[in-house]
Every structure is written in structure tokens, then in C-alpha cells.
């Protein structure tokens, strides 16, 4: 079990930035956590991830700095990452055992705790936008498969042919998994789920998460990303969380809601709450990470993997993009 050997990593230079009473904004993104080590990334690959994270961070922060909503910032960043084949979300998502690509996504608005989620979509270009349409245009929270596709059609969501999402790199991963007769749960992979969390100048919080799930997933397997309370949660009174990692464990721990409850009910600071919940995941055998923002404007990362593609920024001037766990030469 890969996770058992890993120490919980709380970035050494993690800092809580409190906006106080001033109207400020905070933003954080992730592009997945996992076995992400310097020796496994070429300079070109690292530069591509940094440029992509920078673009997603900028998309969200420009909206927030202009007084836009946390929800719009979250969607803007995730749409860019869904369109970027570097990540396991939207274009570039992993293949199922049957050689298909099935997306999961969810989004939550902390102002009223309205939420939308979709699972198993195959032609929707930006599943995060469909999740948001479920939130705003239906009386439901969670739609799946053909029904979600039909709902998307009725609401004019952009569709593409399934091949649009396919990449050679992900096909090779599936072929390797099959050749080695491994199950999706045995593979030591770089998770590439994407997510964003935001606090806007009005003090509203939002969170969203989007993924292709796990390489070689079977039987309609669903991870934590589209599950409100596991992969995504936002409540103006506690925090906003987006998770990435081994979904089965994140569901069992109820990671996103658990972090917010610890902050709201136990009065824990967000770093302690996040680290404690990730430690619980690790103890059970799971690995991954979270990004969190709070009503006070803290932006927190926590992960128990070697690295996590991530970025954060706020109205106080913080701007950071990082990949590895040791942070040596990592911050920008
Ligand atoms: N965290 C994404 C998944 O397990 O599907």
C-alpha cells in the first residue's frame, strides 16, 4: 500500500493569510496529488504544469480582483483545467476498463449550500458547467450517465465527440494496467483531478472539483469528486474544500465536510483540521490532498502524497504555484 509509507506533508511555508475586516479575496487550485517527484518530471513537463496552473490561477484571481463571485472564479479556473490535457479531467481524462472516458464533477455555493453534481458523462465538454447547471436549473443535486447527458442537451451545454477527450498518454496507462493485470485500485498513479476554492470580496465561499476518476475503473465506479461532502464542500460559515486522491477513502471519511465541521464546531484552525482529516485518510490506507479557504481568508494546502499540483493567491499579495512536497525551489 503506497500511502502507508508516506509521511503527512504540510507545506513548510504554508501561511495563513487573514483578510481581517477588509473586503479581500482568496483563491486556491489543485491539479491532483500523487507520486509527483522531481526525478519523474522533465523540465519541459514541469514548465508545462507551472504555466497551466498559472493560467488557471490567473483566470480565477482576475474575476475575484474585479469584484466577481467565488462561484465564477471556481468555474473559470476549472474550465481551463478541464480543457487542458495535462489533467485527469475533461480533455486528458483517464480511460475506463472498457476504453471509455467517463467524467465526474461537482460544485457548491457556500452562500446557500446549493450544490450540483454529475457522474459518468461522456460527451459534455466541461462537466463542471453541467454540475453548475444541475445546481441552478434543476431541483436535484446529483445526476448520472444518460440522464445527465439528456439534461445537458435540454440546457444547451456544449458537447463534443468522445474522441475529443482521448490522449495517447492515458491510453498507454490503460494498456499498461491491463498488461500487468492490475486493478484500478492497485495502480500507483498520479491523480490528476482538478479543483478550485474561493472566497470573494463579499465573503462568499465556493468549491468545485472535476475528474475522470481512476484508470481502468469498472462497473460504473464513482469516486469522491462528484460527492458533496467527500470531494467538494462549501459553506460560508465554515470553509470551502476541494479534494484529490483515492476516492474510496475520501468518501468513507467524508473528507470535505469533516474539515469544515472541525473548523466550525471544534474551532480548529484550517491547517490543523485539514492535516488531521488527511491523517485519518492515511491511517485507513488512502492518499491524496485538499485545498481549503475559510471565511477569514486563509488558503490552506494539505496532502499526504509526494506532491500536489497547486496554486494559491489572495488580495494581500500572496501568489504561489507549487508541485512538490519538499518545496525546495518550488514557490514562485
Ligand atoms: N479522487 C478522484 C477519484 O477517486 O475518482
Amino acid at each position: 500500500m503506497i500511502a502507508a509509507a508516506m509521511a503527512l506533508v504540510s507545506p513548510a511555508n504554508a501561511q495563513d493569510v487573514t483578510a481581517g475586516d477588509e473586503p479581500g479575496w482568496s483563491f486556491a487550485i489543485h491539479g491532483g496529488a500523487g507520486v509527483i517527484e522531481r526525478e519523474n518530471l522533465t523540465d519541459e513537463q514541469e514548465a508545462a504544469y507551472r504555466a497551466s496552473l498559472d493560467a488557471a490561477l490567473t483566470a480565477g484571481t482576475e474575476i475575484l480582483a474585479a469584484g466577481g463571485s467565488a462561484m465564477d472564479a471556481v468555474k473559470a479556473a476549472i474550465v481551463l483545467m478541464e480543457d487542458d490535457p495535462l489533467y485527469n479531467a475533461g480533455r486528458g481524462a483517464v480511460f475506463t476498463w472498457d476504453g471509455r472516458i467517463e467524467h465526474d464533477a461537482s460544485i457548491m455555493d457556500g452562500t446557500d449550500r446549493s450544490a450540483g453534481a454529475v457522474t459518468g458523462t461522456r460527451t459534455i465538454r466541461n462537466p463542471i458547467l453541467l454540475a453548475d447547471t444541475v445546481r441552478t436549473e434543476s431541483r436535484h443535486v446529483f445526476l448520472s450517465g444518460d440522464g445527465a447527458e439528456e439534461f445537458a442537451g435540454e440546457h444547451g451545454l456544449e458537447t463534443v465527440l468522445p474522441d475529443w477527450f482521448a490522449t495517447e498518454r492515458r491510453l498507454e496507462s490503460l494498456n499498461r494496467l491491463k498488461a500487468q493485470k492490475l486493478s484500478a485500485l492497485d495502480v500507483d498513479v498520479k491523480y490528476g483531478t482538478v479543483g478550485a476554492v474561493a472566497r470573494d470580496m463579499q465573503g462568499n465561499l465556493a468549491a468545485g472539483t472535476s475528474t475522470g476518476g481512476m484508470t481502468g475503473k469498472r462497473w460504473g465506479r464513482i469516486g469522491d469528486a462528484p460527492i458533496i461532502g467527500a470531494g467538494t464542500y462549501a459553506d460560508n460559515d465554515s470553509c470551502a474544500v476541494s479534494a484529490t486522491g483515492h476516492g474510496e477513502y475520501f468518501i468513507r471519511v467524508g473528507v470535505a465536510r469533516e474539515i469544515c465541521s472541525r473548523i466550525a464546531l471544534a474551532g480548529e484552525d484550517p491547517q490543523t483540521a485539514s492535516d488531521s482529516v488527511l491523517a485519518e485518510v492515511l491511517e485507513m490506507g488512502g492518499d491524496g490532498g485538499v485545498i481549503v479557504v475559510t471565511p477569514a481568508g486563509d488558503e490552506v494546502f494539505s496532502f499526504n502524497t509526494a506532491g500536489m499540483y497547486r496554486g494559491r493567491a489572495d488580495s494581500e499579495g500572496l501568489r504561489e504555484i507549487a508541485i512538490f512536497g519538499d518545496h525546495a525551489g518550488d514557490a514562485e
Side-chain angles (χ1 to χ4, degrees):
M1 194 169 299
I2 54 171
M6 290 176 182
L8 185 71
V9 177
S10 293
N13 62 345
Q15 49 185 309
D16 293 347
V17 178
T18 303
D21 294 333
E22 297 299 315
W25 54 264
S26 308
F27 192 54
I29 58 171
H30 70 76
V35 187
I36 306 163
E37 285 163 340
R38 240 179 215 90
E39 54 270 30
N40 298 335
L41 275 188
T42 65
D43 289 349
E44 290 73 27
Q45 286 169 329
E46 184 180 336
Y49 275 107
R50 287 184 182 279
S52 175
L53 290 167
D54 190 58
L57 197 63
T58 299
T61 57
E62 281 182 353
I63 289 171
L64 295 168
S69 72
M71 285 294 288
D72 283 346
V74 162
K75 282 185 279 182
I78 292 178
V79 162
L80 276 191
M81 290 192 281
E82 284 179 337
D83 281 349
D84 190 330
L86 284 176
Y87 306 102
N88 173 20
R91 192 172 211 181
V94 299
F95 284 89
T96 67
W97 184 262
D98 300 324
R100 302 202 299 197
I101 291 177
E102 296 178 349
H103 297 112
D104 301 335
S106 65
I107 192 162
M108 188 163 186
D109 184 344
T111 59
D112 57 1
R113 288 193 283 173
S114 58
V118 292
T119 183
T121 63
R122 296 192 293 276
T123 67
I124 312 306
R125 175 170 171 169
N126 293 112
I128 196 69
L129 298 182
L130 178 57
D132 195 45
T133 307
V134 172
R135 182 185 72 85
T136 57
E137 304 300 325
S138 84
R139 297 173 67 188
H140 306 294
V141 169
F142 201 176
L143 300 184
S144 71
D146 291 345
E149 297 266 348
E150 193 181 325
F151 177 83
E154 287 176 14
H155 290 83
L157 272 287
E158 183 179 350
T159 56
V160 289
L161 292 173
D163 279 356
W164 191 84
F165 299 114
T167 57
E168 200 55 44
R169 169 193 180 203
R170 300 300 190 187
L171 192 56
E172 279 168 15
S173 296
L174 177 66
N175 291 338
R176 208 165 44 241
L177 176 139
K178 286 189 167 181
Q180 293 171 9
K181 296 191 171 22
L182 298 172
S183 101
L185 299 179
D186 294 329
V187 185
D188 183 7
V189 290
K190 296 186 192 82
Y191 303 112
T193 295
V194 306
V197 290
R199 171 192 182 270
D200 62 31
M201 284 193 206
Q202 292 71 45
N204 294 321
L205 306 186
T209 311
S210 182
T211 191
M214 285 184 165
T215 300
K217 65 184 182 182
R218 302 175 87 170
W219 311 299
R221 179 264 183 192
I222 302 168
D224 61 311
I227 297 182
I228 299 299
T232 300
Y233 198 75
D235 177 1
N236 279 7
D237 292 333
S238 54
C239 72
V241 179
S242 172
T244 169
H246 196 148
E248 279 68 12
Y249 295 94
F250 282 64
I251 294 170
R252 290 163 64 195
V253 173
V255 164
R257 173 68 198 234
E258 177 72 3
I259 290 170
C260 290
S261 295
R262 279 174 172 259
I263 292 169
L265 304 177
E268 288 182 2
D269 68 83
Q271 191 72 61
T272 301
S274 304
D275 291 352
S276 302
V277 174
L278 263 292
E280 206 178 322
V281 169
L282 185 65
E283 203 172 294
M284 291 172 75
D287 64 347
V290 294
I291 52 173
V292 181
V293 298
T294 68
D298 307 306
E299 314 90 354
V300 166
F301 304 131
S302 182
F303 50 98
N304 60 29
T305 48
M308 180 165 80
Y309 298 109
R310 61 198 186 277
R312 59 183 168 181
D314 66 27
S315 51
E316 306 283 298
L318 172 76
R319 188 176 176 95
E320 176 188 329
I321 288 165
I323 298 176
F324 309 108
D326 58 15
H327 277 259
D330 213 8
E332 287 184 347

